[in-house]
Amino acid sequence: MSLMLMDNALERIDQARQGAHSSQKHHLLAGAVQIVGELRSTLNVRDGGPFAANLDDLCEYMSRQLVAANLHNRVATLDEVADLLREIRKNAWMVQSCMTVQIQ
């Protein structure tokens, strides 16, 4: 499930990046922020060690960047967040090990 969530966030970012109308772009990026927030909410920061804490910080950063990209129409920022999500996706097994709730 976490892979599907990350894929969905990446898809939304890509659609917004490709010049969706502003109201549609806002909706797509708001959805991506919600997905990143959902992934973040499942992290076990207390018991997950430094990886979980770093991932929590990274999720917070990505959410802020998505909001900023939406407000200021920054395609480069969308690219940055998409690259970060792809890197996290490559290590999905580590992400799963840090979750309080295992989403399958």
Side-chain angles (χ1 to χ4, degrees), residues 10-76:
L10 285 165
E11 185 177 312
R12 287 170 179 267
I13 292 167
D14 186 53
Q15 289 173 355
R17 188 186 179 289
Q18 292 180 13
H21 297 289
S22 67
S23 64
Q24 184 183 15
K25 183 183 286 188
H26 171 74
H27 178 72
L28 290 165
L29 294 177
V33 169
Q34 284 183 308
I35 291 168
V36 171
E38 178 62 30
L39 290 169
R40 184 179 182 206
S41 73
T42 63
L43 292 174
N44 185 351
V45 179
R46 187 185 66 196
D47 299 326
F51 183 77
N54 288 340
L55 190 55
D56 181 66
D57 290 343
L58 188 57
C59 285
E60 180 184 358
Y61 173 77
M62 289 188 297
S63 293
R64 284 193 322 253
Q65 290 298 90
L66 286 169
V67 170
N70 193 16
L71 289 173
H72 304 291
N73 201 26
R74 293 187 198 148
V75 173

